[in-house]
Amino acid sequence: MYQEHYSLKAEPFPLTTRGENLYFHESFKRSMSYLLYAFHRGEGMVLITGIPGSGKSTLIEEVVAETSDTEMPVTVVDCASLAGSDLLELYLEQLGIVAAPEVSNSRAVRDTLANLRQSKRPVLILDDAHLLSEEDLSTVYMLCNLKQNGVYVVQVVLAGHPTLRETLLSPGYEQLHQRLVATCNIDALEMSETREYILHKLRSAGWTDNPSIAESVYGAVYRSSLGVPRWIDLICSRMLLNAMAGDRNFISLDDICEVIRDLINEDLLPDQVRLSTQKKVA
């Protein structure tokens, strides 16, 4: 729709971001460097946290792409889809290993994965890891603690909401916490980063200042998105749609405020923004 209307070569604000459309803000770059550092080190566990929509899954996809030509089979397990499934069994299955009935203790698992490691170093990334049960976390500890001839067998990455960090700091998880070699949080964007994020995505899509955007628009997007990429993408996509519908080649502060009001009325913006707006109206 608006892609053709404004002669863009691609969708600037897609749900899934890859390649040149990806914006590397400071905490995203730091998180990625921590992951690659841990992979190079080949031991321990990495914890990546961030609020929903901050870019954890995007980071994982980028790291998997970066390591696709290395001798590291990276397995990503979405913990939201476990739904009572056995984490260990699922992991071995995704590695292409048919777990024998006796593969139910740490020694058998170690030997099974060690055979794989002779040619490749397996990496397990657990997305939405804040959803892991106590039993699953025990499995994670067992996996990241496995050694063969003094070498750790599998590299483990946990990615989830900030509550996951609190869980690992709580009593009963000291051993798992001690296995961490790096932790990083993907922060929400600052005001200046939000502006650069929007411009980067537009330019990557072939934007040539049509429609042009008033400087005040970036601040409005920042305040209504709280600097969270997922919300920024939604607001800016609707912003372009609204501009196209009005056949406009300039987006003003009034225009973006209209978009934000519509999204609030549709309950599509963060609770904090919607509640704050309701209080002002009241």
Side-chain angles (χ1 to χ4, degrees):
M1 297 180 70
Y2 60 72
Q3 181 179 328
E4 292 78 13
H5 184 81
Y6 290 114
S7 301
L8 300 173
K9 65 181 183 181
E11 164 61 59
F13 303 102
L15 292 177
T16 302
T17 300
R18 285 296 312 282
E20 65 178 12
N21 192 249
L22 185 59
Y23 176 69
F24 286 82
H25 61 279
E26 191 58 40
S27 64
F28 189 95
K29 286 190 292 187
R30 186 169 62 250
S31 298
M32 188 166 183
S33 66
Y34 276 24
L35 279 179
L36 295 177
Y37 154 77
F39 290 174
H40 175 75
R41 178 168 173 163
E43 61 181 11
M45 186 172 65
V46 182
L47 172 64
I48 302 295
T49 56
I51 62 175
S54 59
K56 297 182 297 299
S57 295
T58 299
L59 172 68
I60 290 170
E61 290 171 4
E62 190 65 19
V63 167
V64 170
E66 283 274 326
T67 57
S68 61
D69 59 349
T70 66
E71 290 298 302
M72 289 190 299
V74 180
T75 302
V76 180
V77 173
D78 182 359
C79 299
S81 64
L82 279 175
S85 301
D86 181 83
L87 174 60
L88 178 58
E89 186 176 310
L90 179 62
Y91 175 44
L92 294 176
E93 179 182 306
Q94 292 196 18
L95 282 173
I97 300 172
V98 179
E102 64 270 16
V103 181
S104 58
N105 58 70
S106 60
R107 181 173 181 178
V109 174
R110 181 201 66 195
D111 293 342
T112 300
L113 293 174
N115 288 333
L116 174 65
R117 190 184 174 109
Q118 288 177 5
S119 58
K120 297 181 178 181
R121 177 159 56 85
V123 176
L124 170 61
I125 300 179
L126 296 168
D127 198 7
D128 281 328
H130 55 279
L131 298 175
L132 290 172
S133 66
E134 184 175 343
E135 181 181 354
D136 289 331
L137 287 172
S138 297
T139 299
V140 171
Y141 175 70
M142 182 268 289
L143 285 171
C144 70
N145 210 40
L146 293 175
K147 282 185 178 182
Q148 181 82 334
N149 300 323
V151 178
Y152 286 97
V153 173
V154 62
Q155 179 82 55
V156 179
V157 176
L158 297 179
H161 294 179
T163 52
L164 179 58
R165 184 188 297 264
E166 297 171 13
T167 297
L168 296 183
L169 288 172
S170 63
Y173 291 101
E174 292 88 351
Q175 288 181 312
L176 192 57
H177 181 252
Q178 290 169 6
R179 296 295 300 119
L180 291 170
V181 296
T183 68
C184 196
N185 187 73
I186 303 180
D187 302 322
L189 278 62
E190 300 290 346
M191 168 60 206
S192 60
E193 290 178 322
T194 299
R195 181 181 183 277
E196 287 305 312
Y197 177 91
I198 296 169
L199 291 174
H200 172 81
K201 289 208 156 192
L202 285 168
R203 289 166 181 159
S204 297
W207 176 69
T208 55
D209 204 32
N210 179 31
S212 57
I213 301 172
E215 194 63 34
S216 54
V217 167
Y218 302 109
V221 174
Y222 169 69
R223 289 187 294 274
S224 56
S225 68
L226 306 179
V228 178
R230 184 179 296 165
W231 301 120
I232 297 172
D233 289 344
L234 172 62
I235 294 167
C236 289
S237 182
R238 289 287 290 269
M239 174 183 75
L240 292 177
L241 180 64
N242 187 61
M244 182 202 71
D247 197 24
R248 291 189 294 275
N249 297 108
F250 175 74
I251 298 174
S252 67
L253 178 61
D254 287 341
D255 294 329
I256 192 62
C257 286
E258 179 184 344
V259 169
I260 292 168
R261 282 195 297 271
D262 287 344
L263 290 171
I264 288 174
N265 290 335
E266 294 171 37
D267 295 326
L268 293 179
L269 289 186
D271 289 343
Q272 184 177 335
V273 174
R274 293 189 290 110
L275 294 174
S276 174
T277 303
Q278 290 171 1
K279 288 180 180 178
K280 289 179 181 178
V281 172

